[in-house]
Amino acid sequence: MTDSAGTPPEPEDRAGAEQPPPPPTGTGPDAEPEAPEPAETPDTEGDPEPPDAKGGRRWLRWTALGVSVVVLAAAGTGWWFYRKLDSNIQTDTTAAHELDKYDRDRPASVVHDAQNLLLIGSDSRAGNNSSYGRDDGGSQRSDTTILLHLAADRLSATAVSLPRDLMADIPACGRPDGTETRQQFAQFNSAFEMGGAACTIRTVEKMTGIRIDHHMVVDFSGFKDMVDAVDGVEVCLKEPVDDRQAHLKLPAGRQLLRGEQALGFVRSRHGFGDGSDTQRMDRQQQFLGSLIKKVQSNGVLLNPTRLFPVLDAATRSITTDPGLNTLRDLYDLVRSVRGIPTENIRFLTVPRQPYAYDGNRDELVQPDADRLFKQLREDRPIKVAPAADVPKAKESEKPGSGGDDKRPDDPNPSPSASATPVYSGTNAASGMCG
């Protein structure tokens, strides 16, 4: 009997009757019948699993648990490190508020994506820095100030040291107590003492015409910790040094300087040469170049156990504006410049000479200084060379030496507009020991 579709009905179940195997799927005499289905497995719920299956499942559970613990631990450790470093950074909201008050008077940015940072080394004797001199109520001056220009293409960086003894026009600045200083012509580093970072920034902007995008204030203790975190920086001395004021006593020759000695090395004036601030800045630039090379080495950047102490020391030592006060902000900045070749990281001191009315102070050399500021403002290239090579390099800039369209007998000769100006300085690729 068939249903309406022509399909035979399934046989009715009979109690206890064994069902016949299904018909073979093949056709013809050679077709092999399929193997009969195995008998129904009896219900074994509640019975113990075979030893091998039970052990395998237990192993999978423990593996999954172990992986989860490792992932959570790594995430937790990473988050802890991030929070630790991020919380180290201090924010200078006072400077940001003060700069907003004078925003109309500040120069405008000229080149998009180029950045100018002002790095200020504080010589405060308060707190952990008291061993370096008398604490006069927490007052401080800028011991070292560097204008750092990052090219828009991030293929070069130029660090210009501004002498603390340079005579400069300091604008009227707000004091922490709400009063205001008067506009004056005074020693450059007194701007920091009178009005903090904001006053120093406005003084630099007035001097250079360059808009300062960000600033960092670095203290003594942080610098020492950074040098220790990279296991010291190598220097070479032509003569022994003994400067009690800088806590520095070193023999001549090659040596590795760690925190305390490194700080004395970059701060000392009386233990080297003629004791001038210019020589001290040259020494600072060479040391910073060696420090950058050490940090860029694979032994630091690719080794988390060495990189974290460097980051910890760096973030603990700085106070920044609100635009750089998070670890992500600093990371984005560092990531944008970490590919700059060391030979394109240049150090120089602004062209200066003894001040006409006081040999213990400095003044800018013009038009060289203004030309340097214009090159940086417009994000145009400059070159640095050892001081002995600069006169020869400058000869090539003169009219008639090639690269300009002025005749040799031009009554008003000037450096070629197409020539790249050369200044006395060094780069991060030049080691202190040759």
Side-chain angles (χ1 to χ4, degrees):
M1 179 175 177
T2 62
D3 60 15
S4 60
T7 303
E10 301 209 18
E12 297 178 0
D13 291 338
R14 288 175 295 174
E18 189 176 86
Q19 296 298 320
T25 56
T27 57
D30 296 331
E32 294 183 3
E34 288 185 352
E37 292 182 354
E40 184 176 350
T41 303
D43 184 12
T44 58
E45 184 176 356
D47 291 347
E49 296 185 52
D52 56 342
K54 186 175 182 180
R57 292 184 182 181
R58 180 181 297 138
W59 181 85
L60 288 174
R61 285 197 299 269
W62 280 108
T63 300
L65 179 61
V67 170
S68 300
V69 170
V70 170
V71 170
L72 289 174
T77 301
W79 178 245
W80 183 87
F81 282 149
Y82 180 89
R83 291 293 301 273
K84 172 71 168 61
L85 297 175
D86 196 61
S87 64
N88 285 343
I89 305 169
Q90 300 183 64
T91 307
D92 187 358
T93 55
T94 302
H97 177 70
E98 187 72 10
L99 291 172
D100 284 342
K101 290 167 51 179
Y102 298 95
D103 191 63
R104 291 184 179 180
D105 300 328
R106 301 179 64 194
S109 297
V110 176
V111 178
H112 183 64
D113 288 337
Q115 284 202 329
N116 298 290
L117 290 81
L118 198 65
L119 310 179
I120 304 171
S122 167
D123 69 350
S124 169
R125 300 310 198 269
N128 293 333
N129 296 330
S130 59
S131 62
Y132 300 101
R134 180 175 57 86
D135 178 10
D136 50 359
S139 66
Q140 54 187 348
R141 293 193 179 189
S142 52
D143 187 70
T144 300
T145 303
I146 296 176
L147 172 60
L148 176 62
H149 173 77
L150 305 178
D153 59 11
R154 295 301 191 270
L155 296 180
S156 66
T158 304
V160 181
S161 294
L162 302 173
R164 64 182 181 181
D165 296 333
L166 183 68
M167 299 302 294
D169 288 310
I170 300 176
C173 297
R175 292 192 180 101
D177 61 4
T179 60
E180 188 173 83
T181 66
R182 62 179 177 82
Q183 181 176 338
Q184 56 193 288
F185 185 67
Q187 189 174 330
F188 169 69
N189 71 340
S190 62
F192 192 69
E193 180 183 22
M194 291 188 293
C199 193
T200 301
I201 290 169
R202 292 178 57 221
T203 301
V204 172
E205 289 182 339
K206 186 172 184 177
M207 180 191 305
T208 66
I210 297 172
R211 174 85 175 207
I212 302 300
D213 301 297
H214 299 290
H215 75 275
M216 295 183 189
V217 179
V218 185
D219 74 2
F220 288 165
S221 298
F223 177 83
K224 293 191 303 180
D225 291 343
M226 278 198 65
V227 174
D228 283 336
V230 298
D231 293 333
V233 173
E234 190 176 63
V235 301
C236 287
L237 302 177
K238 295 180 179 180
E239 299 177 351
V241 176
D242 187 0
D243 186 346
R244 294 183 180 181
Q245 293 185 21
H247 301 259
L248 186 67
K249 186 174 183 178
L250 298 170
R254 182 189 300 262
Q255 44 219 297
L256 188 71
L257 300 188
R258 300 189 184 276
E260 192 74 32
Q261 290 181 322
L263 181 59
F265 181 80
V266 298
R267 295 196 66 246
S268 175
R269 291 184 64 171
H270 306 289
F272 293 85
D274 59 6
S276 68
D277 197 41
T278 299
Q279 285 194 347
R280 186 176 68 96
M281 287 184 294
D282 291 343
R283 195 165 60 253
Q284 289 173 348
Q285 293 163 6
Q286 293 173 345
F287 189 90
L288 287 175
S290 297
L291 178 60
I292 289 172
K293 286 179 66 176
K294 191 72 175 284
V295 172
Q296 282 190 338
S297 69
N298 291 344
V300 175
L301 292 180
L302 299 183
N303 186 339
T305 60
R306 296 187 63 189
L307 180 59
F308 178 77
V310 174
L311 295 176
D312 186 41
T315 51
R316 278 190 290 107
S317 70
I318 61 174
T319 300
T320 76
D321 63 273
L324 280 181
N325 69 338
T326 69
L327 192 61
R328 178 169 292 278
D329 293 330
L330 292 175
Y331 173 76
D332 290 341
L333 176 66
V334 172
R335 183 179 60 177
S336 72
V337 301
R338 65 184 178 186
I340 298 178
T342 51
E343 60 269 21
N344 288 348
I345 302 175
R346 310 178 188 97
F347 298 92
L348 68 149
T349 299
V350 65
R352 41 71 57 200
Q353 64 188 10
Y355 181 43
Y357 300 102
D358 185 348
N360 294 319
R361 300 291 179 260
D362 292 328
E363 64 182 0
L364 296 177
V365 173
Q366 298 294 4
D368 292 0
D370 281 346
R371 189 181 184 196
L372 169 64
F373 299 148
K374 186 174 187 294
Q375 293 291 111
L376 297 177
R377 188 167 55 244
E378 298 177 355
D379 197 31
R380 297 172 64 183
I382 66 168
K383 293 181 180 179
V384 295
D389 297 338
V390 171
K392 184 185 299 184
K394 285 189 173 182
E395 283 294 322
S396 64
E397 298 180 43
K398 291 183 177 180
S401 61
D404 62 82
D405 56 2
K406 288 185 176 289
R407 298 190 308 273
D409 58 348
D410 193 315
N412 297 303
S414 61
S416 168
S418 62
T420 301
V422 181
Y423 297 92
S424 173
T426 186
N427 60 56
S430 303
M432 293 188 69
C433 298

